[in-house]
Amino acid sequence: RAPGATRAFLDAACAERWSHGHEVVSPPEASSSPSENLLVLLHGRGERSAAPFAAFARKLNLPHTTCLSLAGPSPLPFGVPGREWFARLDPETGEDLQQSANPNDSHLRADSLRRTQKALERLLDKLTDVTQGGWPSTNVHLFGFSDGGTVAIEIGAARVGRERLGGCVTVSAALLPENVKRASILYPPEARAPTPFALTCGAFDTVITRTAVEETARVLLARNPGAVAETFVCAEKNTHAMVNGEDETRFLMRFWGGTLSSPRISAEDIGTDVLEITNETVELSKLTMAVSSEPR
């Protein structure tokens, strides 16, 4: 999968199914090896474009991984600069939908989230169509911060079995409280292989609390006891913020180290004096030649 062809494929997919803005970041070794993985990044509420998280992807510098940073589908209401993934404010009154006394308002927020999830699912269907140059679903990964992480969790929870993703990483993100209350209905028991999760949060974050993140992990594990839903609480983070500090970074890199795919290396890639032992029979002449050429 050449870098130019990869970029062209992603640009075409977004032009067809995600017209809100995107940016592609090629892997560091793109000139010499194929891109085995795709990491889709979803920013937090208020970012103005896909550019900041594309810059973050460049800093990550994940090997064999093309990154696709997406911009949220909707502008913030009332002319405020920035974009969002789902509605948090009443479009008429500006009231916080979570704090509203009207019980129907919480459904407005959940419904808005569901529409975004469906739109992203359509994009993922395109990105995982291997017949059209896409990636196997297990080679596609999600990363989301705050509200972008909430969207990522919903998508990752829904992708199981043959549609399972390679992994879902979220920072300072959790399921909506109204969805947690309906967890037994929205996230029923599922025996098929789940998407693995890694969730981080700040110990003193008051926007997305540690309790909310840990409750999200419990919902994911209750759905499938064999699921991976690792959590990391960053004691150094006392605000609602992105990745911060070596410990949090190390936790994420360890997770990606176990979930990202690497290109298969053949014996010829290493050297002419290396033999590849497979289930097939190795020619005796080659084996004899290799042994006899070893220094004594």
Side-chain angles (χ1 to χ4, degrees):
R1 191 183 285 109
T6 297
R7 183 178 295 273
F9 170 77
L10 292 173
D11 287 342
C14 289
E16 178 184 335
R17 301 193 177 184
W18 195 264
S19 59
H20 315 293
H22 74 281
E23 191 165 330
V24 178
V25 178
S26 299
E29 72 291 342
S31 60
S32 60
S33 63
S35 176
E36 293 290 313
N37 310 285
L38 175 66
L39 177 65
V40 180
L41 298 99
L42 312 179
H43 61 67
R45 186 174 188 269
E47 290 288 1
R48 300 189 182 191
S49 71
F53 271 54
F56 172 70
R58 292 187 186 94
K59 291 181 180 179
L60 282 177
N61 203 33
L62 295 174
H64 317 299
T65 303
T66 292
C67 296
L68 174 64
S69 177
L70 299 177
S74 305
L76 291 174
F78 310 112
V80 177
R83 305 192 68 81
E84 64 181 2
W85 296 97
F86 53 89
R88 280 195 172 274
L89 301 178
D90 186 295
E92 296 182 359
T93 66
E95 186 178 9
D96 189 325
L97 293 176
Q98 183 177 358
Q99 305 299 329
S100 172
N102 186 345
N104 291 325
D105 283 352
S106 63
H107 294 298
L108 293 176
R109 187 168 67 159
D111 290 345
S112 175
L113 170 59
R114 195 171 299 110
R115 287 193 295 272
T116 296
Q117 178 184 346
K118 288 181 178 179
L120 279 171
E121 289 277 7
R122 287 189 69 249
L123 176 61
L124 283 176
D125 288 342
K126 184 77 172 181
L127 300 180
T128 56
D129 186 350
V130 294
T131 66
Q132 299 297 317
W135 286 261
S137 62
T138 51
N139 288 45
V140 175
H141 300 250
L142 299 179
F143 176 93
F145 167 64
S146 194
D147 282 3
T150 297
V151 177
I153 293 169
E154 291 285 356
I155 293 174
R159 290 267 171 168
V160 297
R162 296 177 63 181
E163 295 185 340
R164 177 179 74 86
L165 300 179
C168 178
V169 169
T170 64
V171 176
S172 301
L175 292 169
L176 294 181
E178 53 266 39
N179 285 355
V180 171
K181 291 178 181 178
R182 303 174 61 220
S184 60
I185 299 173
L186 296 176
Y187 319 105
E190 175 59 68
R192 289 173 294 176
T195 294
F197 283 84
L199 307 92
T200 78
C201 63
F204 306 103
D205 188 341
T206 58
V207 177
I208 301 295
T209 65
R210 171 180 181 173
T211 300
V213 174
E214 292 175 338
E215 180 63 29
T216 295
R218 283 194 288 271
V219 169
L220 296 171
L221 292 173
R223 189 180 194 206
N224 188 325
V228 173
E230 301 181 18
T231 59
F232 175 83
V233 179
C234 184
E236 303 170 356
K237 189 188 295 186
N238 54 14
T239 60
H240 187 63
M242 261 285 281
V243 180
N244 180 16
E246 293 184 5
D247 290 341
E248 187 175 17
T249 301
R250 191 178 298 112
F251 169 79
L252 297 181
M253 289 302 178
R254 180 178 62 80
F255 178 80
W256 278 321
T259 56
L260 292 175
S261 298
S262 298
R264 184 176 183 276
I265 300 176
S266 65
E268 289 78 7
D269 295 330
I270 301 175
T272 57
D273 58 343
V274 177
L275 290 179
E276 183 175 3
I277 306 299
T278 66
N279 291 333
E280 300 177 1
T281 304
V282 178
E283 291 183 26
L284 183 59
S285 59
K286 290 184 179 181
L287 182 58
T288 303
M289 186 183 303
V291 173
S292 62
S293 64
E294 283 291 309
R296 302 283 181 181

